[in-house]
Amino acid sequence: MSHREITVTVNGAVRTATVEPRRTLADFLRQDLGLTATHLGCEHGVCGACTVLLDGDTVRSCLALAVHADGHEVTTVEGIAEPGEMHPVQSALWESGAFQCGFCTPGFVMTIYGLEQDARAGRPCPRSRTEIREELSGNICRCSGYQAIVDGAEAALTAATATATTTTEGAR
Amino acid sequence: MSSSVMGGFVGARVKRREDVRILTGTGRYIDDVQERGTLTCHFVRSTVAHARLVGMDVAAAREVEGVVAVITGEEMAALTNPLNLGAPIPNLLSPTYTALATGKVRYVGEPVALVVASDRYVAEDAAGLIEVEYETLPPVVTSEQALAEGAPLLFDDVPGNVIHTGEIEHGDIDAAFAEADHVLTDRIDQHRWGCAPMEGRGGVATFDRSTGMLTYEASTQTTHLLRLLLSGFINQPINLMRVVTSDIGGSFGLKFSIYREDVALCAAAKHLGASLKWVEDRNENLTAAGAARDESVTIEAAVKADGTLLGFRVGMVMNNGAYPIMPPAPVVTNIAGYMLPGPYRLPAYRFSSTVACTNKASYISLRGPWAVETLIRERMMDMIAREVGISPVEVRKRNLVPVTEQPVTSGAGFVMEGVTASETFDRLVEMIDLDEIRAEQERARAEGRLLGFGMGTFYEPAPGTPEFWGLIGFPFSHEPVRLRIEPDGKVTAFTTQVPHGQGHETTLAQVIADEMGVAYDDVRIVFGDTDATVFTMIGTGGSKAGMMATGGAMVAAREVRRRVLDIAAHMLEANPDDLQIQDSVISVKGAPASKVALAELAMGCYMAPGMMPQGVDLDLEATVKYDGENGGWGQGSHACWIEVDQETGRIGVTRYLVVEDCGRIINPSVVDGQVIGGVAMGLGGMLLEHSAYGDDGQYLAGTFMDYLMPSAPEVPEIEIVHLEYETTTMVGSRGVGEGGTVLAPAALLNALDDAFAQVGGKRITATPLTPTKVLGALGVIDG
Ligand code: FES
Ligand code: FES
């Protein structure tokens, strides 16, 4: 099988690698770069455990190929906070006791982080618990029953929306 | 709560320490083990349900660049001993089998060969080149087919495909039926559904040629049992065998057993002198890992005119799939049999069970594996209510045994004590207004909408009693904990629990911090390494941690604390009874100036024992076992509100209420998480999930697009009330992990029956509760 050289900015660092065109983005991140936070729960695009950001949009890295990311920016759970610290989304989920086994967690963190970025930027984002549940429907958690995840997401989005308002007011 | 605050950790909503690594993605799940030089394994699996294996051509696969080995069933059989996982259970015909199939295959997904390669892509490429020749045999898919006269036999040494039968009888059952005013009958065919943890099975086996040591890092909930059985199956001296676990991405009973993949992987690692990794993909998990439930139960109830129970006559048939694994199915049918009378007064009872083997993947334990007993009993209680013309509340009240009237002999003949199902039910009833529910249903019907309401109550062995487990024929066991004060006064405790989401690192540390008088942050819990922890057969499972491991931690902490106080008593010239430990300082009560730091005392014991008080135990490490006293029972009552869409057949759960009693709560977040997650699993299992097979034994649900898992919008907000009735055991807590999954299906099914009853619909007798079945029952479509 032929190989291709790709250059991807992962969590702010430029990484170059030679990969088979069929190699998934998830395998590239996990195995070639050793970034094991991104998990594989189904490898067919249903569970959301492998969610990462590609140029700021949430994507399923089990369905994307590494070559798709050539020349683009990827953000994973390892990249949203400084080592040893937590992003406000992570803190909110910790406060609410959102997770149990933690296997689905990175995918949820990235999905909620994506929503939180929208909220911060003043873009539309889910407000009610029902809307939050709809937004989270692409991620499966077998352990938690979702309620505490929704609690954490709600807290994080409320805080981010407040920040967005303050910023807008500050700018005025 | 801040973890530097001293004391009072038990009962507090302490944030889980596991979550730091979980949220930052720094956990170590099995596929995160990426040591250099590790080879990847892929299993070639049977594509047919039942066949003779007549040939296999692996030559082309062996030629693929990067392939290190291809091992066939016969070759593997030479490296391993025959597997038999049911041997110690009396009256169980447990057939012996090989790690990879030889001679015959008996389910779709059964491993027939193992490919070892440098990379998973290569291993799968090579597997695609392997040609397996099957001579198909007639498949036996359902229990009925298995038990039919002249059915094809799966194993030569299992006549009639029956691997176990059991009987339980208590009281005069014939007299009960002779005396009855009403006799009611019901049957439920429960479908197969799976554990489907988000992380499947897997392991990394490393053989060290220089020492002969085999280390197996695995995603398992029972490290010591896995080590014990593995070493026997692959002829590895047990003292050269170590099983390790780190983070586990869920299990729910799946990772309790030892699987033939574990055996094959370890045998191959030893044979090749290499480090081998196998991580199950989702298709393998759904197809080959096994699934649960899959039982048919018929119940006849003898009842007085006022709804008082006189007797139950029950028959249960379990579809075991092809190969018995751990825990063997009779353990499950036995628990179901003994728990079926529930928390009710039941004078007479007869239960018989049959376990059949079929061409499906193995029956595995799933969160409250015996749950069908609650499903059928609670539905029967509602049927009785309707038959005698009382409410579902009244029928339960008339039969429940209040805790004040216990101890009492259960309907199945063992002592029932401290069971608060009656109390949780009363509390539930206080919170609902049945008249208003009925009025609302009428208003809704006037608008063309259909609402249903259902309830249920139950109790479960969490952990139960030695008497109960004696009847089951499964050890109640002791829970060992090793605990030591380190030279700097910090505490390390070693548990044989293998947490996979239950938060033991947090809850056990809470308990120990309070018992020892040290900060929560100064306690570390070590788990999952057979080289460090004490042997126990059962790791995590059956809600064992809540009471048994907590008790072990308490006994260990108390033992070490006693030693510390004895030493300090000499140092401070005081009576040990007058001493206290607070903030890691031992001081005389009422005279705080007279004190010694725990760190100072510990350093003395380790570094200068000659200068420490003599004649007292200076060993600050203790290994203890907690016997569980008389255990205890988890119990709960649930209420479920649904709306049935009469056009689409969709069942929407609109409200869900849980009153549960696990005694003293160690960490409310953890307990609520278990309850909510359990209910979600119970509802998902009944409404969406189905490990379906075709008539030919083909597996029909091999992806998450066919095997539907509940996602956030399908799960309602769940309201929980805790009773916290404390039993007289030292611990005061009982298990809470299974209850949601056991009881939710019953409450849901009763709600559905209730909805159907309003519009003259039929009752559903076979789950899952799919839209098609709902529309059939409503007469919208045929069925
Ligand atoms: S692993 Fe990518 S969606 Fe499940
Ligand atoms: S916490 Fe286990 S799958 Fe979500």
Side-chain angles (χ1 to χ4, degrees), chain B residues 634-667:
Chain B
Q635 49 267 307
S637 297
H638 292 191
C640 176
W641 287 256
I642 61 167
E643 172 153 7
V644 180
D645 186 321
Q646 297 162 97
E647 274 172 29
T648 63
R650 178 180 181 273
I651 301 168
V653 181
T654 51
R655 187 182 171 202
Y656 203 96
L657 176 58
V658 174
V659 180
E660 75 72 54
D661 183 5
C662 66
R664 187 167 70 134
I665 291 176
I666 297 165
N667 187 325

Side-chain angles (χ1 to χ4, degrees), chain B residues 520-545:
Chain B
Y520 164 78
D521 281 345
D522 287 350
V523 182
R524 177 178 159 238
I525 306 297
V526 177
F527 65 90
D529 183 347
T530 54
D531 271 6
T533 62
V534 186
F535 180 88
T536 182
M537 201 179 98
I538 305 167
T540 294
S543 287
K544 207 156 175 280

Side-chain angles (χ1 to χ4, degrees), chain A residues 20 22-24 27 30-31 34 36-44 46-47 49 77-78 85-86 89-91 93-106 109 129 132-134 136-148 150-151, chain B residues 15-17 19-20 22-27 29 31-32 34 119-122 125 193-199 248-250 252 281-282 367 500-502 669 673-674 676-678 680-681 689 702-705 707 709-713 715-719:
Chain A
E20 281 184 347
R22 65 173 174 171
R23 195 157 190 81
T24 66
D27 285 344
R30 289 181 50 78
Q31 287 170 32
T36 56
T38 301
H39 293 162
L40 291 168
C42 70
E43 296 175 83
H44 51 258
V46 178
C47 77
V77 169
E78 287 98 337
E85 287 177 16
M86 281 196 194
V89 165
Q90 290 164 310
S91 307
L93 291 165
W94 192 21
E95 281 293 336
S96 68
F99 296 103
Q100 290 173 28
C101 79
F103 196 79
C104 69
T105 306
V109 168
R129 292 178 72 85
I132 292 172
R133 282 180 183 268
E134 291 293 339
L136 298 183
S137 65
N139 292 72
I140 297 175
C141 175
R142 185 53 149 174
C143 304
S144 71
Y146 303 105
Q147 198 155 315
V150 177
D151 293 343
Chain B
K15 281 194 288 186
R16 296 198 329 166
R17 63 169 54 146
D19 292 352
V20 176
I22 283 173
L23 284 158
T24 55
T26 50
Y29 299 88
D31 196 33
D32 302 342
Q34 300 199 344
D119 170 78
R120 195 175 128 196
Y121 290 70
V122 174
D125 285 348
W193 36 297
C195 294
M198 291 316 295
E199 178 196 46
I248 302 177
F252 314 105
D281 69 22
R282 184 54 56 187
R367 210 169 188 173
H500 38 280
Q502 299 90 340
S669 299
Q674 288 293 318
I676 293 168
M681 199 163 182
E689 302 172 36
T703 73
F704 276 160
M705 282 171 282
Y707 189 90
M709 296 274 278
S711 72
V715 181
E717 300 273 329
I718 290 153
E719 305 157 50

